[in-house]
Amino acid sequence: VLLVESGGGSVQAGGSLKLSCTASGLVFNTEDMGWYRQAPGKQRELVAAMTVRSSSVTYADSVKGRATISRDSAWTTIYLEIDSLTPEDTAQYYCNAPSLVVRGWASWGRGTQVTVSS
C-alpha cells in the first residue's frame, strides 16, 4: 500500500487548508479511513475518521467544529479540511486505515506538513 498525502503548507492563524490522500493497493471503499497528525515531540494522534458502510465521521476534540473529512465519489481520494487554523495545528499529517494502525500493520506515507504561524 502506497499512501500519498498532499495539500499542506504554511498558513497564518485563522486560515484554512484542505489536505488530500490517495492510495495504491488500498481501496477506500473497503476500509474505514482516518487522518492522523504528529507534532514535533508528540505522539501521532487520530484527528478524523470516516467509516465505509455508514459514512459516519468522528473528530478529535482538538479539531471538532473546525475539520471536515470527506471522500470523492469514486473512492479514490480522502480529504481533510481544517478551518480556523491555530499554531497548535502545526504537524505532519497522514492518512491511514485505523484498523491497520491499531494492529501495527499500517504502512505510512510521507505525510504532508502543515505549519501555522501566529
Side-chain angles (χ1 to χ4, degrees):
V1 176
L2 177 62
L3 295 163
V4 180
E5 300 91 351
S6 63
S10 297
V11 297
Q12 289 193 330
S16 62
L17 282 173
K18 187 171 185 176
L19 311 180
S20 301
C21 169
T22 59
S24 61
L26 176 68
V27 182
F28 286 151
N29 63 354
T30 62
E31 293 285 350
D32 298 350
M33 289 299 297
W35 279 93
Y36 296 77
R37 70 184 183 186
Q38 186 167 23
K42 295 187 177 181
Q43 286 191 331
R44 188 173 289 161
E45 64 169 334
L46 177 64
V47 295
M50 167 183 281
T51 64
V52 172
R53 295 183 178 181
S54 64
S55 291
S56 65
V57 298
T58 56
Y59 299 98
D61 288 343
S62 56
V63 300
K64 193 173 294 182
R66 301 187 295 119
T68 304
I69 185 172
S70 61
R71 58 168 175 82
D72 68 341
S73 58
W75 291 100
T76 61
T77 306
I78 302 292
Y79 303 100
L80 178 69
E81 184 167 13
I82 307 179
D83 302 320
S84 302
L85 287 160
T86 74
E88 287 68 39
D89 294 314
T90 295
Q92 194 80 0
Y93 284 72
Y94 305 85
C95 64
N96 219 310
S99 63
L100 300 179
V101 174
V102 297
R103 293 174 184 153
W105 297 348
S107 176
W108 295 94
R110 291 186 174 184
T112 187
Q113 176 68 36
V114 173
T115 302
V116 185
S117 58
S118 59

